[in-house]
Amino acid sequence: MSNPLTIQELITHLESQSITKVKVAVTDIDGILRGKLISWDKFKSIVKSGFGFCNVVFGWDSGDVAYDNVRYTGWHSGYPDAQACIDIATFRQIPWENNGAFFLADFTNEQGQSLDVCPRSLLKKIAAEAQAMGFYPSFSQEFEWFNYKKPSEIRDFQSLEPITQGMFGYSVLRASQEAAFYHDLFDQLTKFGVPIEGIHTETGPGVYEAAVLYSNILEAADRAVLFKSGVKEIAHRHGYLATFMAKVNENLPGCSGHVHQSLWTLDQSENLFYEAGSSNHISELMQHYMAGQLYCLPYILPMLAPTINSYKRLVEGAWAPTTLTWAVDNRTTALRALPGSPYSTRLETRVVGSDSNPYLALAACLASGLYGIKNKLKLAIPETIGNGYANKQHGVLPGNLHEATQAMKNSPIAKELFGEAFTEHFTASREWEWRAFSKVVTNWETQRYLEII
C-alpha cells in the first residue's frame, strides 16, 4: 500500500492499538498464501533483520506433495529455512479479523540478493527493469469466480450448489439476493487495502466478477493475491465456498484474470501508450509492447495459464482467446487494445486465467512487453476484424499444460526474460503438475470405458 511509515513509526502506531500478534505471509509458486501468526515481540525482533521460513513452500505443489524433480530444495537438501524479509509497505489490517495486523514478505538468498524462485522477487526485478528504462508500469487485474453454498463436508465437488441460479450476467436481481455477501466483499476488501473499482455478477450460476483498482505493478500484484485470499475468507464467513478455478464445468464459461496495463513516465504525468495524432491513438511504444507480448506468448503461457484446468478455459467460443491475435475492443482476441483518453488508454491481456499466480502473470505481461520495446519489434500481426477464433494464420496457443511447458522450457526467450534458475524451477513444477494429473483415473474415463470397453 506504499506505507510511508518508518519501521519505528510503524511499531509505535501498532503499539498504540495494543496489537499483540501479527500475521505474516509469503506466496508460493502457485500464488497460494502461506503464512503464520506470530507474537508482537517476535515481530519486533524480525521486522528489520528478517526471519527463517521453510523453503518447502517452493518445493511442493498446491496439495503439499513434495516435488521430486527440482534442484532448489527437496529431500536432498533437507528443506532448510530460507531468509524471508517483511515488506513494511504491505502493512494492512484485516477488518474481518478484528483489524489484526498483516504483512507480506519475500525471500532472499544467502548473499542477501533476491531469491530466483520467489515470484514476488521476480516481479520486483522486472519492475526495476521497467523503471531503469524510464517507465512507470500501471497495472490492475480483474477476476471472475464461482461461489457455492458450502456443505459441512465436501464429498463431491460436482454436486456443490451455487449461491444463485441461472445464466444472469450483470444482474441487479441476483446480486440483491445475496446482498450481504455482495456488499461485504466490496466494503471489507476496500478496508483491507484492496480497493475494488467495480463488482457484478457474470454469466453463470453464482459467478461474480470484480476489478481491482489500478496501481503500480507490485502493489497491483499484492492486491490481486490478497483479493483472492480475502474473497475466500469472507465467503467462508458467509457459509460459502469461493473458487478461482479456470473452468469448473465444461458446459459453463471459464473464469478469467485479465490483466490491464499501461506504461507512464516516471513522474506519472504522461501515459506513454497514448498518442493523439496516431491511428486509434495507439502510440508506437504501445505497438512495440503488444508486438513483444504476441511474440513471447507461446513461450510464457504457463505463467498465465499454470494448471491442467487452465487449458479447459482456453477453447473456442468460451470468452477466452485461443489465437495469437490483437484488436481494438474485441473480446475474442488474445490482446484487447483499449485506446481512449490520455488517462485511460491501456492494453488488456485476455489470456490470463483466474487461477494464475498474480506475481507471475504480471511479471510475464510486463517482461514480454518490454522485450518488444527493447527490440523495437513491429506489430507485424494486423488487427483482427471480427472473430479472433477464426484468425489462425499467425498461430494458436498451446493446447495443454504439457505442450505449453515444453515450449517455455526449450525456448531461450523465457530464460532471457526471467533468468535460467527461475525458468528451470518453474517449468519443472509444471512438469510435475502434468505428471500428477496423467496418472489419475478420472470420472470421464470410468464413465466412458468401465462398462463398454
Side-chain angles (χ1 to χ4, degrees):
M1 293 179 63
S2 302
N3 167 41
L5 299 178
T6 66
I7 290 178
Q8 187 53 54
E9 288 171 339
L10 179 65
I11 289 173
T12 301
H13 171 71
L14 293 177
E15 285 181 333
S16 71
Q17 298 189 38
S18 300
I19 293 293
T20 60
K21 50 189 179 294
V22 175
K23 186 177 286 188
V24 179
V26 298
T27 309
D28 69 11
I29 206 74
D30 289 293
I32 300 168
L33 281 182
R34 309 275 188 170
K36 57 180 72 175
L37 198 63
I38 60 176
S39 70
W40 177 241
D41 287 340
K42 176 69 173 178
F43 173 77
K44 288 194 294 183
S45 72
I46 65 173
V47 65
K48 292 181 181 179
S49 59
F51 62 103
F53 201 111
C54 181
N55 74 6
V56 73
V57 295
F58 299 125
W60 61 16
D61 62 19
S62 57
D64 289 7
V65 179
Y67 300 137
D68 64 7
N69 63 336
V70 299
R71 285 198 286 179
Y72 169 68
T73 192
W75 302 116
H76 62 278
S77 68
Y79 296 108
D81 281 351
Q83 181 73 359
C85 299
I86 293 172
D87 185 343
I88 65 167
T90 66
F91 166 60
R92 286 165 165 81
Q93 292 183 267
I94 310 172
W96 56 90
E97 291 186 1
N98 297 317
N99 284 322
F102 176 91
F103 294 87
L104 289 167
D106 43 33
F107 290 89
T108 60
N109 60 22
E110 294 176 354
Q111 289 73 45
Q113 302 164 327
S114 295
L115 187 65
D116 291 325
V117 302
C118 173
R120 192 170 189 269
S121 296
L122 176 68
L123 180 58
K124 289 166 71 174
K125 175 184 174 183
I126 305 299
E129 291 178 8
Q131 184 176 15
M133 293 173 67
F135 305 133
Y136 172 92
S138 179
F139 274 59
S140 69
Q141 194 166 9
E142 58 183 2
F143 293 98
E144 299 163 350
W145 75 99
F146 279 76
N147 299 284
Y148 296 99
K149 297 178 182 178
K150 189 172 184 179
S152 57
E153 182 179 359
I154 302 174
R155 295 184 179 180
D156 179 6
F157 286 90
Q158 295 300 318
S159 65
L160 289 173
E161 181 183 355
I163 63 172
T164 58
Q165 300 297 318
M167 309 294 283
F168 207 168
Y170 303 102
S171 171
V172 174
L173 172 62
R174 289 289 184 258
S176 177
Q177 289 170 344
E178 296 299 331
F181 177 48
Y182 191 68
H183 286 276
D184 220 12
L185 287 170
F186 195 105
D187 298 338
Q188 298 286 358
L189 287 166
T190 299
K191 290 177 182 176
F192 186 44
V194 183
I196 305 301
E197 194 170 70
I199 185 170
H200 59 86
T201 67
E202 250 301 352
T203 185
V207 186
Y208 286 173
E209 178 177 354
V212 182
L213 187 65
Y214 65 90
S215 59
N216 74 76
I217 190 170
L218 182 61
E219 172 67 15
D222 287 344
R223 290 177 180 180
V225 166
L226 296 176
F227 173 85
K228 293 174 72 173
S229 181
V231 164
K232 292 179 180 180
E233 293 180 25
I234 294 168
H236 176 78
R237 283 158 175 77
H238 284 263
Y240 301 149
L241 182 151
T243 176
F244 290 87
M245 275 184 66
K247 190 84 164 180
V248 300
N249 185 300
E250 68 269 24
N251 298 314
L252 295 171
C255 293
S256 71
H258 301 153
V259 174
H260 292 254
Q261 61 228 266
S262 56
L263 297 181
W264 293 63
T265 54
L266 289 177
D267 63 2
Q268 303 174 53
S269 64
E270 181 184 356
N271 182 353
L272 299 173
F273 278 7
Y274 175 84
E275 187 173 322
S278 68
S279 174
N280 290 322
H281 302 313
I282 294 175
S283 70
E284 185 178 21
L285 186 87
M286 183 175 176
Q287 293 182 44
H288 290 324
Y289 188 94
M290 290 194 294
Q293 281 203 6
L294 288 170
Y295 181 79
C296 296
L297 255 178
Y299 315 113
I300 63 173
L301 185 58
M303 296 173 71
L304 312 180
T307 72
I308 299 295
N309 185 251
S310 301
Y311 297 82
K312 307 294 176 69
R313 168 182 165 263
L314 299 174
V315 295
E316 292 186 11
W319 298 101
T322 58
T323 56
L324 293 175
T325 49
W326 77 275
V328 172
D329 199 9
N330 185 327
R331 288 181 169 86
T332 68
T333 56
L335 303 185
R336 178 183 174 224
L338 293 167
S341 71
Y343 178 79
S344 64
T345 296
R346 65 194 187 279
L347 176 68
E348 178 188 43
T349 302
R350 294 183 57 81
V351 180
V352 189
S354 61
D355 57 348
S356 60
N357 178 337
Y359 293 115
L360 299 187
L362 271 61
C365 287
L366 179 59
S368 57
L370 294 180
Y371 180 89
I373 293 172
K374 292 173 187 175
N375 292 282
K376 293 184 167 53
L377 296 184
K378 297 296 183 183
L379 191 55
I381 296 176
E383 179 183 359
T384 295
I385 305 300
N387 186 357
Y389 297 116
N391 185 3
K392 301 178 181 180
Q393 59 183 312
H394 301 287
V396 298
L397 297 174
N400 59 52
L401 182 61
H402 176 71
E403 291 178 14
T405 299
Q406 295 312 302
M408 182 175 182
K409 178 181 179 179
N410 296 320
S411 169
I413 295 295
K415 298 180 181 67
E416 179 179 345
L417 297 181
F418 314 116
E420 188 168 350
F422 170 81
T423 302
E424 177 189 306
H425 182 83
F426 179 70
T427 55
S429 77
R430 298 310 94 189
E431 288 178 328
W432 167 270
E433 196 78 6
W434 181 259
R435 284 170 48 203
F437 168 73
S438 297
K439 66 184 181 182
V440 173
V441 178
T442 65
N443 287 338
W444 185 90
E445 292 168 276
T446 55
Q447 290 171 5
R448 191 172 185 88
Y449 303 130
L450 184 66
E451 179 187 7
I452 304 301
I453 293 297

